[in-house]
Amino acid sequence: MKKMLLIVVLFTMSQIIHAQDAKMNAFIASLMSKMTVEEKIGQLNLLTPGWGIPTGSVVSTDVESKIKAGKVGGLFGVIGAEKVKQAQDIAVQQSRLKIPLLFGSDVIHGHKTTFPIPLGISCTWDTALIRQTAILAANEATADGLNWAFSPMVDIARDPRWGRVAEGSGEDPFLGSQIARAMVKGYQGNDLADKRTLLACVKHFALYGASEAGRDYNSVDMSRNRMYNEYLPPYKAAVDAGVATIMSSFNDVDGVPASGNKWLLTDLLRKDWKFNGMIVSDYTSVNEMSNHRLGDLQAVSALAIKAGLDMDMVGEGFLSTLKKSLQEKKISMADIDRACRKVLEAKYKVGLFADPYRYIDAERASKEILTPENRMMARKVATQSFVLLKNEKQTLPLKKTQRVALIGPLANDKSNMLGTWAVSGDPQMSIPVLQGVQSKTSSSTYIAYAKGSNITDDTALAKRANVFGLRVDIDKRSPDAMLEEALAIAKSSDVVVAVVGEASEMSGEAASRADITLPAAEQKLLKALYATGKPVVVVIMSGRPLVLTGSIEGAAAVLQVWHAGIEAGNAIADVLYGDVNPSGKLSMSMPYHVGQIPVYYSQKTTGRPQDLNNKFSSRYLDIPNEPLFPFGYGLSYASFEYTDLKLSANTIGREGAIKATIQLTNTSKVDGAEVVQLYIEDKVRSITPPSKELKGFQKVVLKAGESKMIEFTITNEMLKFWSAALQYDSESGEFAVHVGGNSRDLKAAGFVLK
Ligand code: BGC
């Protein structure tokens, strides 16, 4: 009976969708029949007037006259509902066909309520919470006139030298896919025409995170095996979740730049994955194919549209050359029609033809943006994103009566905590750590502050980090004078809290670093603080996993807080004082040394696995193979014990399932949350498998002393992989199951797939 009902519901839903599609198709066909070739090409043109943060060297010019002439399909980087309205007015009042514009923006980790950077958010391992961040961001962004977010960024990233690791969810395809799905669902909701939802844009398709040597915009070369098994899954998850738009990446894939790569955009994305939304290029990435040496602007623009790209971001190659290519028969009218239809469909789906001003609502903007509730949400997410790396002798949590010396260039800083891509974030509205700590403690408690050092004394680096405003403020005082002041307050305190790390623009786009240790000025400060003999709690703000070897050995506790967003100071104080017990887990390994990179938990075993007693094994002479902190790692003020891993059977058939259970006990006196992780290891495979792969996780809250049985269901689906012939299936044989609180410390059991 229930099944019948489900079938009827599904059938009715598909009929409704069919009818809606037919209506949209008829509307667009009728509109396109009125359009000239120039107007169709105009729709493919995405410009930025440069009122936001331009990420390339080009900013669009004559935007107003181009809109009037029907030469613009959408704009991005227009900040504020009023400006959006001005631009939309021009399109719907002064252009011949009155086609409304799309308004996009890099809403990457919140709109005005800035959340932690995505890498931080991913360390919550809480997909329901992550979805909430996207819902809230969409609500604020749409109230501000926007209908398109250039997010989520789902590029798997295993090289922390690459600054853009800040924008993604780390190294793992399974975790990355779960987060991709949550973000897309959060932004798009159930109905794109709802004025509180917007078009998501999954990016950067594809493999951008694998740029050689971690240098931004660099070449990528990867086997299909690795691509299908490890790098493509999060994009695919976003497509399966119904993402409406996709952005092509800057890099080449198998020798062809993504923006002109037919295999990638058409064969894989449209044909295999059945993606039917719109594909936009990255910022001037069509033009840049000339630098990739694929020909002049006309040639690369033709290549892009023929490959399946629909919209050209900023470069105007489509605008300036497609008509010529059409006349010369280098492209067909069908190519232009396809791309134009995709852009118009996106506009139709968000309801712009029904109401071009649907997303402009000054009243909603004044009531729903940056509300106290939204800020509470940012604070909560931030507390969940912190990863406690070290906590000797229970230094943390602090007691509210302790005399604290709060020291460091990021301890009283408002501009860096927002992190990269906070295009609409206002540093003036953010809470620095000093303020957070002060509001946690009574006014009679000794809380002394000193800057202690600059983030860096390197003026050339500072200049590069200050392109969007002052982030690295080199003090007028000498480093020695700053240090002296810091040591004086340290000496009269019970505990030192040192807040150090990277400025926001030391990570993110075009911010690769070869040396990812803490800057020398901060290292010197930390060493001097350790030498005082006071317990030192190191709080690290950064946009990437840093190499901390040599910098934290003297610390009593280390809390990794990333760039934690607008409520960073309050959230850090919540965790330092134990009002929130940390539960974040690393979504990316923290290297021991830059020379190991890429270092990630699923690395293959090799034919000569590491054996410290054997010279001829896969290892370094001078450093360990292992990272300093592994993927999945993170401490709590509570302690957890894993016992009694059991499987319900020791064989599994293709259709069957087995249950893995493990007893998790909070052995401490405080309540806490633990992310229980399930990894599967394929013992025999026709191609070399990853050493183990994350296949499940659960965030579990346990009261002090409480014990719970945690259960995972293992199915054949979880054992599948892409074979050498690119068939997706499992292979019979032995498997191991590993369960634990990080990718290193695990309990194991085994089973056989029949
Ligand atoms: C970035 C994209 C971004 C775009 C628009 C590019 O440089 O790679 O991630 O969405 O600029 O700002």
Side-chain angles (χ1 to χ4, degrees):
M1 186 62 194
K2 260 190 187 159
K3 210 171 170 185
M4 259 314 273
L5 198 70
L6 187 70
I7 293 171
V8 173
V9 171
L10 289 178
F11 180 74
T12 324
M13 273 171 55
S14 80
Q15 293 292 95
I16 295 173
I17 292 171
H18 204 71
Q20 281 171 346
D21 280 356
K23 218 169 138 196
M24 174 176 81
N25 294 343
F27 176 87
I28 290 173
S30 148
L31 177 58
M32 283 178 62
S33 71
K34 298 183 199 108
M35 294 172 81
T36 62
V37 177
E38 289 81 358
E39 282 166 334
K40 286 178 180 172
I41 294 172
Q43 286 302 306
L44 318 185
N45 193 25
L46 176 64
L47 296 184
T48 183
W51 301 323
I53 296 177
T55 50
S57 47
V58 188
V59 173
S60 316
T61 51
D62 294 333
V63 176
E64 190 170 332
S65 59
K66 283 177 188 147
I67 299 174
K68 280 186 200 160
K71 291 182 175 172
V72 183
L75 294 179
F76 71 101
V78 181
I79 310 274
E82 220 172 285
K83 290 230 164 78
V84 170
K85 180 165 181 311
Q86 282 168 14
Q88 194 69 300
D89 279 343
I90 304 173
V92 300
Q93 291 168 15
Q94 300 185 46
S95 72
R96 188 179 79 90
L97 289 170
K98 309 189 175 0
I99 300 175
L101 298 169
L102 280 174
F103 288 93
S105 180
D106 288 288
V107 178
I108 309 287
H109 48 115
H111 180 58
K112 291 212 168 121
T113 302
T114 315
F115 292 113
I117 53 168
L119 185 64
I121 293 185
S122 70
C123 293
T124 66
W125 294 54
D126 185 338
T127 50
L129 190 69
I130 293 171
R131 185 171 175 160
Q132 286 301 321
T133 67
I135 292 175
L136 195 148
N139 192 37
E140 285 197 355
T142 51
D144 239 1
L146 303 171
N147 37 48
W148 188 15
F150 298 155
S151 168
M153 191 279 226
V154 305
D155 306 318
I156 293 297
R158 294 172 172 179
D159 190 332
R161 291 172 300 180
W162 190 50
R164 301 199 81 168
V165 302
E167 300 172 43
S169 298
E171 73 183 45
D172 184 63
F174 181 80
L175 179 62
S177 298
Q178 305 285 320
I179 294 176
R181 196 171 297 126
M183 298 287 290
V184 170
K185 296 268 185 208
Y187 286 132
Q188 298 193 167
N190 297 323
D191 179 9
L192 274 174
D194 184 328
K195 65 177 185 185
R196 291 172 193 277
T197 63
L198 38 62
L199 304 160
C201 181
V202 70
K203 66 190 191 185
H204 304 82
F205 196 62
L207 320 181
Y208 184 30
S211 60
E212 276 180 12
R215 176 155 57 78
D216 208 359
Y217 316 124
N218 206 1
S219 242
V220 170
D221 198 3
M222 189 184 289
S223 68
R224 291 279 151 107
N225 170 359
R226 171 155 281 178
M227 199 188 289
Y228 274 72
N229 285 307
E230 300 173 38
Y231 278 72
L232 292 179
Y235 308 106
K236 173 72 163 55
V239 170
D240 291 344
V243 73
T245 74
I246 289 196
M247 189 184 294
S248 62
S249 55
F250 288 121
N251 55 281
D252 54 341
V253 172
D254 223 350
V256 183
S259 301
N261 192 317
K262 185 160 187 298
W263 172 78
L264 189 69
L265 303 185
T266 297
D267 299 349
L268 181 69
L269 186 56
R270 293 218 189 268
K271 292 190 183 147
D272 287 2
W273 293 4
K274 312 268 178 282
F275 174 70
N276 66 5
M278 181 183 89
I279 310 175
V280 62
S281 77
D282 203 347
Y283 206 111
T284 59
S285 67
V286 173
N287 312 50
E288 289 166 24
M289 286 198 278
S290 295
N291 287 343
H292 281 282
R293 314 225 180 148
L294 269 85
D296 63 12
L297 186 59
Q298 183 185 353
V300 295
S301 302
L303 185 70
I305 197 156
K306 288 201 84 62
L309 193 89
D310 302 314
M311 206 173 198
D312 176 11
M313 189 192 290
V314 182
E316 301 191 29
F318 279 8
L319 194 74
S320 57
T321 70
L322 285 190
K323 193 163 172 214
K324 187 162 184 268
S325 292
L326 181 68
Q327 285 158 350
E328 292 169 1
K329 299 205 172 9
K330 291 188 171 131
I331 63 169
S332 69
M333 198 57 221
D335 294 323
I336 295 177
D337 279 346
R338 181 218 68 230
C340 178
R341 190 173 306 113
K342 289 294 163 201
V343 175
L344 296 176
E345 280 176 9
K347 295 184 178 187
Y348 187 96
K349 287 178 192 160
V350 285
L352 286 176
F353 288 110
D355 176 8
Y357 299 100
R358 178 178 299 245
Y359 299 92
I360 302 165
D361 187 341
E363 202 193 324
R364 194 154 78 82
S366 70
K367 286 196 187 134
E368 295 182 22
I369 293 180
L370 214 54
T371 60
E373 296 75 36
N374 293 3
R375 296 191 69 124
M376 278 311 289
M377 176 74 175
R379 181 169 176 170
K380 177 177 173 190
V381 177
T383 60
Q384 303 298 300
S385 72
F386 302 161
V387 183
L388 182 63
L389 297 174
K390 181 175 179 185
N391 192 19
E392 280 175 358
K393 298 189 200 139
Q394 297 186 324
T395 307
L396 289 177
L398 303 175
K399 289 169 208 66
K400 289 187 181 161
T401 48
Q402 269 172 313
R403 298 161 59 82
V404 175
L406 185 62
I407 294 171
L410 288 159
N412 191 24
D413 173 287
K414 284 182 155 210
S415 57
N416 287 296
M417 60 178 59
L418 294 186
T420 185
W421 276 135
V423 259
S424 299
D426 178 359
Q428 289 318 312
M429 303 298 283
S430 60
I431 311 286
V433 184
L434 177 60
Q435 190 181 334
V437 166
Q438 279 167 338
S439 49
K440 207 42 98 179
T441 49
S442 90
S443 54
S444 59
T445 311
Y446 174 92
I447 306 286
Y449 158 75
K451 185 171 170 187
S453 77
N454 298 311
I455 295 176
T456 173
D457 296 330
D458 176 345
T459 47
L461 178 59
K463 198 171 160 211
R464 271 174 250 136
N466 288 341
V467 280
F468 299 135
L470 192 64
R471 301 286 189 271
V472 178
D473 185 9
I474 299 198
D475 212 276
K476 290 195 181 59
R477 291 170 295 171
S478 70
D480 285 347
M482 278 193 281
L483 186 60
E484 205 177 303
E485 179 193 33
L487 293 177
I489 65 162
K491 281 173 192 153
S492 46
S493 69
D494 299 323
V495 60
V496 175
V497 175
V499 190
V500 294
E502 294 183 304
S504 56
E505 294 309 324
M506 283 164 72
S507 65
E509 185 172 351
S512 295
R513 291 177 64 204
D515 176 356
I516 54 169
T517 54
L518 286 169
E522 294 181 336
Q523 293 204 40
K524 188 172 168 208
L525 169 66
L526 289 182
K527 288 202 175 115
L529 293 174
Y530 300 150
T532 63
K534 299 284 179 180
V536 180
V537 175
V538 180
V539 175
I540 297 168
M541 287 188 188
S542 66
R544 54 161 60 81
L546 296 169
V547 169
L548 297 176
T549 312
S551 302
I552 57 165
E553 287 75 2
V558 180
L559 185 67
Q560 172 69 45
V561 299
W562 315 110
H563 290 127
I566 194 160
E567 284 286 327
N570 283 330
I572 291 166
D574 285 342
V575 170
L576 288 179
Y577 285 96
D579 291 337
V580 178
N581 188 349
S583 60
K585 299 275 190 176
L586 294 175
S587 60
M588 207 173 162
S589 311
M590 294 189 82
Y592 177 91
H593 191 282
V594 78
Q596 300 171 309
I597 292 172
V599 60
Y600 50 97
Y601 82 90
S602 59
Q603 263 167 338
K604 296 181 178 185
T605 49
T606 82
R608 294 185 176 189
Q610 174 175 227
D611 173 356
L612 298 184
N613 298 316
N614 179 0
K615 173 174 171 54
F616 296 99
S617 74
S618 182
R619 55 174 296 208
Y620 299 98
L621 288 178
D622 49 354
I623 55 165
N625 282 2
E626 292 73 27
L628 187 60
F629 297 106
F631 174 82
Y633 180 86
L635 303 171
S636 160
Y637 299 150
S639 45
F640 298 99
E641 198 178 70
Y642 289 81
T643 48
D644 218 12
L645 173 63
K646 281 204 186 91
L647 301 182
S648 60
N650 47 23
T651 59
I652 173 177
R654 302 283 156 146
E655 302 301 323
I658 50 176
K659 291 204 184 317
T661 50
I662 195 159
Q663 196 70 31
L664 178 70
T665 309
N666 179 346
T667 53
S668 75
K669 294 200 169 63
V670 290
D671 303 349
E674 168 76 336
V675 179
V676 182
Q677 301 157 39
L678 170 93
Y679 297 86
I680 294 187
E681 178 189 346
D682 196 342
K683 296 274 202 183
V684 185
R685 202 182 253 193
S686 56
I687 56 171
T688 55
S691 56
K692 57 179 175 286
E693 293 168 279
L694 182 74
K695 290 290 174 181
F697 58 87
Q698 293 175 34
K699 196 162 183 173
V700 185
V701 180
L702 285 188
K703 297 238 166 286
E706 193 185 347
S707 186
K708 240 188 216 166
M709 180 83 95
I710 311 299
E711 187 179 295
F712 291 95
T713 304
I714 299 169
T715 61
N716 181 37
E717 203 48 41
M718 292 156 81
L719 312 178
K720 290 185 178 169
F721 64 95
W722 294 92
S723 69
L726 293 183
Q727 297 299 314
Y728 190 62
D729 207 351
S730 54
E731 288 173 358
S732 304
E734 255 183 80
F735 289 83
V737 176
H738 302 269
V739 183
N742 65 64
S743 63
R744 182 189 61 201
D745 306 310
L746 297 154
K747 305 275 178 210
F751 69 91
V752 170
L753 173 69
K754 288 277 181 204

